[in-house]
């Protein structure tokens, strides 16, 4: 009896220990840490470079001001490699760690929120970043980039032409998202990239490119500290993809200190940063999957920023609990309609659905006015945007819609599925109101909500009725926006298979012409075709929103819809 | 006489050890088959669920050529039987594949996260037993009294409440409104964890002599443990009640009383008789707790394998889902093996019937 009891207890204890025991030697291999930042005193003092845009002067803070920023996000990055980083969460971290060749001019918008002017000005809204100045040849095909000197990464390595060359070569070598980006830049191959000296790089493009400077701002081209990357590379992995999964090192204001995927990511400030050391010395990203808990943490002051909150949650934030930052800029919500099959293959039917749609109701009911009714599937701030070409009232016109449906032979209406991404907040509510609008004309919308992975698979299968999608173009240009989201043959996000040779031809031509009268005419033509054919339902211009702590200041909107943490401070 | 008694004790000891060895040996013969079965089910069932891992990894803007290259890189363009046998071979080598969600080996992910879930489950089981068994025994003696009815009502209520809903209610009341417990920000909030020995923060902090971290870990454990306990202890109450009713109502208890045997001895014998169903229900509850932990971890941002599994499902992360299922199967096999060993220790008769 005693032996049985003793043995039982021993076995129970052993099983507990065996199930979880492991010392540090057996412990999971930790993510490879980036080299510790070299202390500034060991380096040549960086020559002070006047910033081309005035760096925000942090107010002298009281000694006990908390210099740690805590951010609650729905999901941490899957990877820190810009080649494989499709999600917002990855882009935000990568942008913070890797400074870019060009940056955005910013000034207060009409709503008082400081915003990048690129949205309306295009390339003219870009200012030097790691590139201090540049020259363009007379034929607009050769760009000579003069790099900023004395820029140090957190590892203490100086930014040189080799970093630019290496990152561009990586875009071609790995070629996932990078292939897409060098395509936007129209850099045909690495033969078009020439290193002149340590601080001068020459890039030759095939045709004039009105998007080049913005393409050179994108995170896939933003230089990694190639000295560190090469140390991490192997013969089997020459582009250090394994290292960049969980770590990276750039010339930006922060570096990755710790990354436990799915749990927490910690950034520390780069004391060598060329614009000056950031206010926050540490940024802690914590994954909090439940949005109501992110809101609760913000209310309790446990976090300073809560991302991915729904409209209702933000509305419920009390004035003494936090503040809502909500800006409507370049995010659009549209319903991609199947133009190859089903009732929506007929342009008249698509026009009818657009006439029936009451976007104003969605703006007021779902977003409490913090959105805009969308027209022409594009933000109205885009250069060359012409709202006069859009005949569809944003409040809907059921009579006109019904008449058009009858002309098309669908007087009795029809049933159509609406595919919705379950992981995007508020889309369920938007879908309900779309259904409500279309039911007025006898169209029965069947809402099909799926998690992100299944949603993407279905959306790209071609077997769709309407796909509700939210996104933004990384370059604020109508031709690029339509090429990405509307054009069936070229756009990977068009879903509906819209194929109009005149439309695609005008887009391609306009992307090879610099701003001027010819381009203006082409952009006008593109919009006219879109207004006539209505391949997508224009739903709303959606807000970029955050919950901020009351003492967090300095938010600036950028076209990548990320927070640039360097701007922020605590009052 | 004394030497004969000693010999008898030695013989019984050998017999007991022999039964334990036989039991464990019989179980191990089936473990490989059980795990292979679980792995096979995991492999094929996951592929029935919509979701393309290559598309998730490359993003919606990826070109068809990029997707094809990724599928080739991930081995997803091989015929299904080839993928299956590659998976099984890797499994035999201990290679669970690479997670698309984290970019790490799945085995590394599970190793990092496993202790968080184990700590949660063990504490929940312990508290469930500490509450459920006494309540069940008390119910057996007080069934017609008001307190007995209250216990009965609790046993019925428990298990009918969704765990994630209860978690949110408890958080609202105890964390947000009354500020008794910390907010749902993981196992230690923003504090640094103790050096890893077992990976369970309560144990590691005690071993390190860090009482402050221990106390913080306990505070963060309180609400998720309370959630799981309230949901899963009801079954323990009911089984403990039925078992103790049967045991304490057995004929030998009256006989002992009539023969003047000390009541304590009678109670001890009756308790031993009542133990087997309680041990069984503890094992069953332990298995349920792993499933319950999945959603509770989501609400509390716990960082355990449950949260990992949810992320994997949403991201069509085949390797991670398969790894979690195999791990869960192994956990349950070990769980029931331990229960069977405990049962054999309490009731050696089970060994004769081949339990």
């Amino acid at each position: 009896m005693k032996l049985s009891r003793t043995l039982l207890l021993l076995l129970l204890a052993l099983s507990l220990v065996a199930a979880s025991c492991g010392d540090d030697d057996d412990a999971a291999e930790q993510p490879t840490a980036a080299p510790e930042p070299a202390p500034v005193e060991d380096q040549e003092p960086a020559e002070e470079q006047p910033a081309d845009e005035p760096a925000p002067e942090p107010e002298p803070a009281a000694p006990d001001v908390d210099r740690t920023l805590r951010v609650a996000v729905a999901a941490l990055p899957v990877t820190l490699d810009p080649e494989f980083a499709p999600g917002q969460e990855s882009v935000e971290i990568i942008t913070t760690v890797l400074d870019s060749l060009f940056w955005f001019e910013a000034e207060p918008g009409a709503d008082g929120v400081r915003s990048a002017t690129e949205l309306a000005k295009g390339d003219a809204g870009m200012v030097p970043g790691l590139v201090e100045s540049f020259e363009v040849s007379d034929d607009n095909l050769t760009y000579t980039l003069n790099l900023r000197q004395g820029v140090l990464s957190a590892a203490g390595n100086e930014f040189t032409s080799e970093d630019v060359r290496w990152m561009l070569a990586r875009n071609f070598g790995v070629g996932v998202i990078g292939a897409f980006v060098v395509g936007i830049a129209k850099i045909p191959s690495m033969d078009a990239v020439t290193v002149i000296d340590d601080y001068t790089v020459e890039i030759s493009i095939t045709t004039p490119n009105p998007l080049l400077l913005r393409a050179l701002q994108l995170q896939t081209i933003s230089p990694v500290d190639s000295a560190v990357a090469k140390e991490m590379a192997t013969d089997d992995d020459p582009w250090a993809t394994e290292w960049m999964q969980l770590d990276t090192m750039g010339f930006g204001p922060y570096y990755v200190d710790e990354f436990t995927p799915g749990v927490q990511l910690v950034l520390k400030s780069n004391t060598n940063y060329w614009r000056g050391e950031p206010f926050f010395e540490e940024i802690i990203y914590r994954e909090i999957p439940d949005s109501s808990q992110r809101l609760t943490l913000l209310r309790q002051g446990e976090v300073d920023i809560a991302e991915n909150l729904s409209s209702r949650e933000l509305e419920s934030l009390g004035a003494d609990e936090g503040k809502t930052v909500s800006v409507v800029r370049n995010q659009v919500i549209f319903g991609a309609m199947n133009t190859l099959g089903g009732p929506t293959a007929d342009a008249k039917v698509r026009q009818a659905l657009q006439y029936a749609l009451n976007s104003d109701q969605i703006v007021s009911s779902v977003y409490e006015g913090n959105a805009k009714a969308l027209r022409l599937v594009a933000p109205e701030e885009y250069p060359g945007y012409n709202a006069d070409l859009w005949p569809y009232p944003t409040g809907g016109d059921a009579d006109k819609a019904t008449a058009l449906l009858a002309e098309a032979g669908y007087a009795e209406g029809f049933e159509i599925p609406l595919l919705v991404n379950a992981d995007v907040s508020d889309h369920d509510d938007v879908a309900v109101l779309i259904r409500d609008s279309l039911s007025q004309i006898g169209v029965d919308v069947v809402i099909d909500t799926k998690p992100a992975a299944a949603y993407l698979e279905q959306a790209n299968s071609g077997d769709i009725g309407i796909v509700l999608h939210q996104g933004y173009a990384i370059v604020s240009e109508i031709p690029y926006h339509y090429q990405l989201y509307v054009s069936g043959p070229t756009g990977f996000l068009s879903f509906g298979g819209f194929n109009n040779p005149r439309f695609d031809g005008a887009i391609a031509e306009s992307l090879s012409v610099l701003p001027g009268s010819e381009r203006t005419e082409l952009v006008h033509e593109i919009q006219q075709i879109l207004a006539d054919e209505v391949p997508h339902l224009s739903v709303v211009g959606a807000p970029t929103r955050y919950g901020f702590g009351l003492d967090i200041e300095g938010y600036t909107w950028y076209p990548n819809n990320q927070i640039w943490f360097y701007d922020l401070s605590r009052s | 006489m004394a030497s004969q008694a000693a010999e008898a004790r030695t013989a019984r000891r050998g017999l007991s050890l022999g039964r334990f060895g036989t039991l464990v040996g019989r179980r191990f013969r089936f473990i490989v088959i059980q795990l292979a079965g679980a792995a096979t089910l995991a492999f094929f069932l996951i592929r029935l669920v919509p979701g393309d891992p290559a598309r998730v990894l490359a993003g919606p803007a990826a070109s068809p050529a990029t997707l094809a290259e990724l599928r080739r890189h991930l081995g997803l363009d091989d015929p299904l039987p080839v993928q299956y046998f590659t998976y099984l071979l890797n499994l035999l080598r201990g290679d669970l594949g690479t997670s698309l969600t984290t970019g790490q080996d799945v085995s590394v992910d599970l190793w990092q996260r496993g202790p968080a879930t184990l700590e949660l489950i063990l504490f929940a089981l312990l508290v469930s037993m500490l509450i459920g068994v006494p309540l069940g025994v008390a119910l057996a003696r007080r069934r017609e009294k008001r307190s007995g009815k209250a216990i009965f009502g609790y046993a019925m209520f428990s298990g009918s409440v969704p765990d994630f809903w209860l978690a949110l209610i408890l958080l609202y009341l105890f964390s947000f409104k009354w500020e008794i417990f910390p907010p749902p920000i993981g196992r230690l909030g923003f504090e640094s964890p103790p050096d890893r020995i077992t990976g369970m923060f309560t144990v590691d902090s005690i071993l390190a002599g860090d009482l402050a971290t221990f106390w913080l870990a306990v505070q963060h454990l309180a609400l998720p443990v309370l959630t799981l306990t309230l949901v899963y202890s009801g079954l323990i109450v009911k089984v403990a009640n039925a078992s103790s009713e049967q045991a304490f109502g057995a004929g030998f208890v009256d006989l002992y009383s009539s023969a003047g045997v000390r009541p304590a001895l009678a109670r001890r014998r009756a308790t031993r008789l009542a133990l087997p169903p309680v041990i069984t229900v503890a094992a069953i509850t332990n298995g349920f707790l792993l499933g319950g932990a999945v959603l509770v971890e989501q609400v509390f941002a716990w960082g355990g394998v449950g949260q990992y599994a949810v992320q994997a499902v949403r991201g069509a992360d085949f390797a991670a889902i398969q790894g979690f299922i195999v791990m869960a199967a192994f956990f349950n096999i070990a769980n029931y093996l331990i229960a069977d060993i405990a049962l054999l220790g309490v009731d050696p008769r089970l060994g004769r019937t081949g339990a």
Side-chain angles (χ1 to χ4, degrees), chain A residues 1 21-22 131 136 167 197 285 362 401 494 522 557:
Chain A
M1 174 67 177
C21 205
V131 166
V136 188
M167 203 61 182
D197 58 42
Y285 255 64
I362 296 172
S494 61
L522 287 166
W557 175 84

Side-chain angles (χ1 to χ4, degrees), chain A residues 1 22 78 261 286-287 457 492, chain B residues 51 61 113 185 189 197 272 311:
Chain A
M1 174 67 177
V78 171
R286 178 59 71 93
E287 180 167 315
E457 187 174 28
F492 310 128
Chain B
R113 289 163 173 72
I185 200 158
I197 304 172
R272 186 170 175 174
Q311 290 164 353

Side-chain angles (χ1 to χ4, degrees), chain B:
Chain B
M1 286 267 304
S3 63
Q4 283 176 344
E7 280 177 15
R9 279 199 298 276
T10 303
R12 282 200 300 275
R13 191 175 302 135
L15 203 59
S16 297
L17 280 173
R19 286 201 186 113
F20 282 120
T22 303
L23 172 69
V24 173
R26 279 194 192 128
R27 285 287 184 272
F28 268 99
R29 271 188 285 158
F30 291 105
I31 279 178
V32 173
I33 298 170
Q34 288 172 310
L35 286 177
T40 301
L41 269 176
F43 180 88
F44 286 104
L45 285 178
I46 285 160
R47 279 152 180 80
L48 294 176
V49 177
D52 179 0
R55 171 71 69 183
V56 172
L57 187 64
S63 67
T66 301
L67 288 173
E69 172 59 26
L70 264 177
R71 288 196 188 101
R72 188 202 62 77
H73 176 71
L74 294 171
L76 295 175
D77 60 343
D78 290 330
L80 203 59
V82 173
Q83 290 185 45
Y84 173 62
F85 284 111
T86 304
Y87 165 64
L88 281 184
L89 281 172
N90 288 337
L91 207 56
L92 284 172
R93 290 200 302 258
D95 179 5
L96 296 175
T98 303
S99 167
L100 297 180
T101 311
T102 67
Q104 300 187 127
D105 287 345
V106 171
S107 54
V108 170
D109 289 336
L110 295 175
W111 178 256
Q112 287 178 336
R113 289 163 173 72
T117 304
L118 189 66
E119 185 177 43
L120 181 61
I121 290 174
L122 288 179
F123 269 87
L125 181 65
L126 180 65
V127 175
S128 296
M129 295 294 284
L130 287 174
I131 293 175
V133 172
L135 282 182
V137 172
L139 179 59
R141 295 179 184 168
R142 295 179 173 77
R143 183 169 286 279
E144 297 308 318
K145 295 184 181 171
R146 199 173 297 174
S147 55
K149 290 186 191 316
I151 296 171
F152 182 77
Y154 164 70
M156 291 297 114
F157 166 81
S158 169
S160 61
V161 176
D163 44 17
F164 64 89
W165 174 84
L166 184 62
L168 292 172
I169 297 295
L170 291 177
L171 270 170
Y172 174 72
L173 292 174
F174 289 96
S175 177
F176 180 64
K177 197 164 171 61
W178 298 328
E179 296 184 6
I180 297 173
F181 291 112
I185 200 158
R187 303 163 71 193
L188 280 180
F190 288 107
E191 300 303 318
S192 299
D195 290 338
R196 178 177 170 137
I197 304 172
T198 67
M200 294 191 285
F201 290 170
T202 46
V203 175
D204 290 350
S205 54
I206 286 286
L207 292 174
D210 184 353
L211 289 181
T213 301
F214 170 77
W215 180 234
L216 188 64
V218 167
Q219 288 177 70
H220 279 272
L221 262 171
L223 283 184
V225 165
L226 182 61
T227 304
L228 290 172
T229 299
L230 288 174
V231 173
Y232 292 101
S233 62
L235 181 62
I236 297 174
V237 172
K238 291 174 206 164
V239 170
N241 168 49
S243 175
S244 53
E245 270 187 354
Q246 188 178 35
F248 285 94
F252 75 90
V253 174
D254 292 334
L255 179 64
Y256 275 27
S257 175
S258 306
V261 174
R262 286 179 289 122
L265 180 61
R267 279 200 297 276
R268 204 160 65 235
R269 295 272 191 261
T271 301
R272 186 170 175 174
L273 190 63
L275 269 181
V278 174
I279 292 172
T280 303
V281 80
I284 293 170
T285 303
N286 209 21
F288 285 160
L289 281 170
L290 180 60
V294 170
L295 291 178
V296 168
E297 286 186 14
Q298 275 287 100
V299 174
F300 288 93
W302 199 246
V305 293
Q307 188 178 337
Y308 178 71
V310 172
Q311 290 164 353
V313 168
R314 293 171 78 168
D317 189 347
F318 288 175
I321 300 170
Q322 287 161 186
F324 173 79
I325 291 173
V326 170
M327 181 222 71
F330 184 80
F331 172 83
N332 276 298
I333 291 169
N335 178 41
Y336 287 109
L337 175 61
I338 293 169
D340 286 342
I341 292 172
L343 283 171
L344 190 61
V346 168
D347 188 352
R349 294 175 298 174
L350 295 173
R352 292 193 207 113
T353 58

